[in-house]
Amino acid sequence: MIGKIAETKQCQIKDPMDLFNSGQVVKICAPMVRYSKLSFRTLVRKYSCDLCYTPMIVAADFVRSAKARDSEFTTNKGDHPLIVQFAAKEAQVLCDAAHIVCPFADGIDLNCGCPQRWAMAEGYGACLINKPELVRDMVRHVRNQIDNPRFSVSIKIRIHEDLKRTIDLCQKAEAAGVSWITVHGRSVEERHQPVHYDAIKIIKESLSIPIVANGDIKTLKDAENVHHLTGADGIMVARGLLANPAMFAGYEETPLKCIQDWVDIALEHGTPFTCFHHHLMYMMERITSKQEKKVFNILSSTSAVLDYLNDHYGV
């Protein structure tokens, strides 16, 4: 029944800004390298996820190479609302990438939060939080060049040690016409330290556009708590959804029905084995014993995985 409710809701709301104006907290699946691809987005949408992001795509490669476009970006009719996340450092390149996806997606997001060394070395990701004028120009360029006013332009950031700098960045982006800002409440150096939800609250109070909170949200209860702590308009989840794709529908752990749905969707989409298997490892983490994990994690073919699920869980 939950899947039915989610699907009905999906048909009614296609515009991301409509979600933010609905008065409900928007439940969002984060951009995850290798993982937030079409088949996984299809799964979480069945379980009350309102908005999905693609994995981060390097805009310059995407614009330059048809091969990159084919391998990096796949979607279908039911895959809405959809945000395509790009890594970019030049306004025109970001615009060109936005033009390509505009007919197939509902918005783009500029990654200003990825702390990985390669991204920072290339001038992408989190190093952009130190270039507020460049971020402003990139947002403004896309706003001016995409004709569709309902096509959203958002950014995802990390915070500075000095929060005044983050607020300055956000206000510049807001003035340039950014649709919303997702704030991962850690600095570039922080990895597993506690998330600064207080900082997200201050950013929310300093702006008039929607703010999405991100970082360490593992359950629906966590999502509700973070909403109360920050006042955020949306909650973005990464690892929590990998471990339990039915999280937003209120399940404490992955239900067997969700595992069955994943098997059906993955086979239908021709999901590569490694991706199919990895998602199951994450989903079954909490419901399998150490011994079972040892056996399951070394299975090396789709048929072996299907036999195992059938024998142990009747899936």
Side-chain angles (χ1 to χ4, degrees):
M1 190 58 199
I2 286 156
K4 284 279 185 289
I5 294 166
E7 279 162 26
T8 312
K9 188 176 172 193
Q10 206 52 54
C11 296
Q12 292 162 349
I13 297 180
K14 285 285 159 85
D15 182 337
M17 288 313 294
D18 288 349
L19 290 170
F20 286 108
N21 296 328
S22 70
Q24 303 292 312
V25 181
V26 184
K27 301 191 281 292
I28 305 170
C29 179
M32 290 178 277
V33 180
R34 291 186 300 278
Y35 293 121
S36 45
K37 298 209 166 178
L38 176 61
S39 48
F40 188 67
R41 299 195 301 264
T42 305
L43 178 67
V44 294
R45 289 185 196 281
K46 282 180 82 85
Y47 290 91
S48 301
C49 183
D50 300 314
L51 181 62
C52 291
Y53 281 54
T54 67
M56 180 182 81
I57 298 169
V58 176
D61 297 344
F62 190 78
V63 169
R64 196 170 46 235
S65 155
K67 192 177 170 196
R69 292 196 286 279
D70 291 342
S71 69
E72 297 284 342
F73 181 60
T74 317
T75 185
N76 63 20
K77 252 198 187 116
D79 189 29
H80 289 280
L82 176 66
I83 305 300
V84 183
Q85 192 189 61
F86 286 112
K89 56 186 173 182
E90 294 156 296
Q92 195 51 52
V93 173
L94 183 62
C95 287
D96 293 343
H99 273 293
I100 294 168
V101 299
C102 187
F104 313 103
D106 303 281
I108 62 146
D109 183 82
L110 174 62
N111 185 315
C112 306
C114 177
Q116 290 184 44
R117 281 206 191 98
W118 75 265
M120 305 268 286
E122 293 282 337
Y124 298 135
C127 70
L128 290 175
I129 64 172
N130 299 318
K131 299 176 183 175
E133 284 77 18
L134 176 59
V135 172
R136 179 191 62 199
D137 291 348
M138 287 202 272
V139 170
R140 191 180 284 152
H141 255 73
V142 180
R143 267 274 164 263
N144 291 342
Q145 288 191 31
I146 297 286
D147 292 336
N148 179 0
R150 292 172 78 82
F151 190 78
S152 66
V153 184
S154 56
I155 63 175
K156 183 171 187 288
I157 66 170
R158 282 184 172 239
I159 59 173
H160 297 85
E161 299 290 342
D162 175 3
L163 201 59
K164 287 197 204 74
R165 295 179 65 199
T166 313
I167 291 165
D168 173 61
L169 166 72
C170 293
Q171 288 173 340
K172 282 187 166 78
E174 180 178 29
V178 83
S179 306
W180 68 85
I181 297 175
T182 300
V183 183
H184 181 99
R186 289 187 176 100
S187 70
V188 177
E189 289 75 30
E190 292 176 319
R191 289 295 185 274
H192 304 291
Q193 291 87 337
V195 177
H196 304 284
Y197 296 120
D198 53 336
I200 300 177
K201 181 177 196 277
I202 293 165
I203 293 165
K204 169 65 190 159
E205 288 167 354
S206 308
L207 299 168
S208 54
I209 52 169
I211 296 295
V212 173
N214 172 232
D216 272 6
I217 299 158
K218 304 275 171 41
T219 63
L220 190 58
K221 188 93 188 94
D222 287 348
E224 286 160 4
N225 290 342
V226 170
H227 167 64
H228 290 305
L229 282 170
T230 62
D233 306 272
I235 298 292
M236 178 183 279
V237 179
R239 283 193 297 264
L241 278 173
L242 279 183
N244 178 8
M247 180 194 123
F248 282 141
Y251 291 93
E252 293 292 312
E253 56 191 29
T254 312
L256 286 179
K257 171 77 175 80
C258 181
I259 292 172
Q260 178 70 67
D261 286 337
W262 170 244
V263 169
D264 295 343
I265 290 165
L267 294 179
E268 189 188 327
H269 283 92
T271 303
F273 173 73
T274 308
C275 180
F276 168 64
H277 190 209
H278 279 187
H279 273 296
L280 286 168
M281 284 185 210
Y282 279 115
M283 288 182 211
M284 294 164 63
E285 177 72 26
R286 292 182 202 160
I287 57 173
T288 48
S289 68
K290 224 174 187 164
Q291 198 47 49
E292 285 177 323
K293 279 187 192 63
K294 269 185 186 156
V295 175
F296 185 78
N297 292 358
I298 59 165
L299 297 175
S300 58
S301 70
T302 301
S303 55
V305 168
L306 296 177
D307 287 346
Y308 182 95
L309 291 174
N310 189 27
D311 295 347
H312 290 75
Y313 299 101
V315 169

